Amino acid sequence: MDDRLAQPISFDARYGAGHRRALVLGGGGIVFVAWLTAYLGELSRRGVALEDADRIIGTSAGAVLATIVGQRHLDRFGALFRVLSKRPGAIARLAPAADLKPSQQRALDLFQLAQDAEPATIRAIGSAALAAATPAGNLLPTSVLVALQTWRWPDDRLAVSAIDAYSGDRLALTRASGAPLLRAVAASASVPGLFAPQPVLDRRCMDGGVSGTGIHSDLVAGAERALVFPLAGALPEPRLTIRPDSLEREIAALRATGTAVEVRHARLSDITNLMDPAEVPAALALGALQAGEDAAALAAFWRG
């Protein structure tokens, strides 16, 4: 399909060349949304000018926060999320992940247990996602609208990743792509089995993490410097299409393009229950704590 949405994962392509500061926010469910919200908000309060990024990449949970940063609305979203954290039932309605039908569980299991990102593996997950009896396709874009409070792209700095559920193509969705913002962000966050693949122009798209990477840092390769926020460091075993050494190899490839990189990840005790609203308050507290520890070093790095 020649709609110019697909961008193969490639560090040699140096997609980020010419950019000075890049922000890369990875995927990880509603719990990682909470951690990122608190972490990025605390960095901002301590003088790390994240809004100075001239390239912002978001995947899944990170797609929501990438858009918030692009809007310069971290404070507003942080206040909203702290209110929601006291209402787990409201979070569960916005991002339902319980009482799954068998077809939903099959798609989710295929994703969670996937040990590689071979094209056949990705297409099998996509087929199961398309077949799953998920909630109505408009549910997730509506939840995204609650979070973003707008349907307009903030500017051209933002790109969110998604995967074509049929072909397995990696898509980099931007304002110039013509994809509606709410659909683009919802597509990036459409966990197979939990949410319906989203219609994006003439494609049906699922979570950007179904790709062997949760961060898509190749989209900033060649930038002067990049702050990268994956969910976790090395995994104990292959899962979610990601190998245990995938992050280390990806960051090494990014640095090899000449990009200076700082990486920070959540010190969550459990990354297997990332859609549990009960875990949100602890993730908020942990994010603020970690940001307080890291702010001085990251401020110096970001200023260059």
Side-chain angles (χ1 to χ4, degrees):
M1 181 182 295
D2 187 19
D3 56 8
R4 300 184 181 181
L5 295 184
Q7 285 189 281
I9 295 175
S10 170
F11 288 89
D12 291 338
R14 294 175 60 85
Y15 295 123
H19 294 286
R20 293 191 61 205
R21 295 183 181 90
L23 183 65
V24 179
L25 305 179
I30 197 71
V31 175
F32 195 50
V33 170
W35 185 89
L36 280 173
T37 298
Y39 191 102
L40 300 179
E42 187 67 18
L43 285 187
S44 182
R45 283 188 288 275
R46 290 174 180 259
V48 184
L50 299 173
E51 66 274 10
D52 288 347
D54 57 356
R55 181 70 161 159
I56 306 171
I57 306 299
T59 296
S60 197
V64 176
L65 268 299
T67 308
I68 295 293
V69 172
Q71 294 172 326
R72 296 175 169 83
H73 285 168
L74 268 174
D75 285 347
R76 177 194 60 75
F77 184 68
L80 170 64
F81 210 84
R82 285 190 291 274
V83 170
L84 287 174
S85 73
K86 300 173 183 176
R87 296 171 170 81
I91 294 177
R93 286 190 293 274
L94 290 169
D99 301 321
L100 301 184
K101 299 179 179 69
S103 61
Q104 291 181 271
Q105 192 64 57
R106 177 173 180 272
L108 183 60
D109 287 346
L110 280 175
F111 176 39
Q112 291 185 330
L113 301 177
Q115 298 190 2
D116 60 64
E118 293 298 319
T121 301
I122 294 173
R123 287 194 292 267
I125 295 169
S127 294
L130 289 164
T134 53
N138 285 333
L139 172 64
L140 194 50
T142 300
S143 299
V144 170
L145 179 59
V146 170
L148 302 184
Q149 302 284 297
T150 183
W151 50 269
R152 297 179 182 275
W153 286 88
D155 51 42
D156 292 326
R157 297 178 297 161
L158 175 65
V160 300
S161 67
I163 304 299
D164 185 308
Y166 176 74
S167 68
D169 290 339
R170 193 276 299 276
L171 313 181
L173 303 173
T174 64
R175 180 166 67 175
S177 73
L181 175 66
L182 298 183
R183 289 292 184 187
V185 175
S188 188
S190 289
V191 179
L194 297 186
F195 304 107
Q198 293 293 307
V200 176
L201 303 181
D202 196 32
R203 296 179 183 258
R204 294 297 180 272
C205 302
M206 61 182 174
D207 195 299
V210 190
S211 56
T213 172
I215 52 177
H216 295 272
S217 66
D218 69 296
L219 292 172
V220 305
E224 181 179 314
R225 65 191 61 245
L227 278 176
V228 180
F229 294 93
L231 169 65
L235 296 176
E237 59 187 13
R239 63 190 304 266
L240 299 168
T241 72
I242 298 174
R243 301 185 322 189
D245 64 345
S246 288
L247 178 63
E248 179 182 358
R249 292 165 62 89
E250 185 169 348
I251 296 304
L254 177 58
R255 288 187 170 125
T257 69
T259 300
V261 184
E262 284 286 345
V263 182
R264 296 293 187 275
H265 61 80
R267 297 197 300 258
L268 297 167
S269 59
D270 180 10
I271 61 169
T272 63
N273 203 17
L274 294 170
M275 296 299 291
D276 186 352
E279 298 296 323
V280 164
L284 286 169
L286 179 60
L289 175 65
Q290 285 188 243
E293 296 171 354
D294 296 342
L298 294 186
F301 171 80
W302 198 235
R303 287 194 301 268

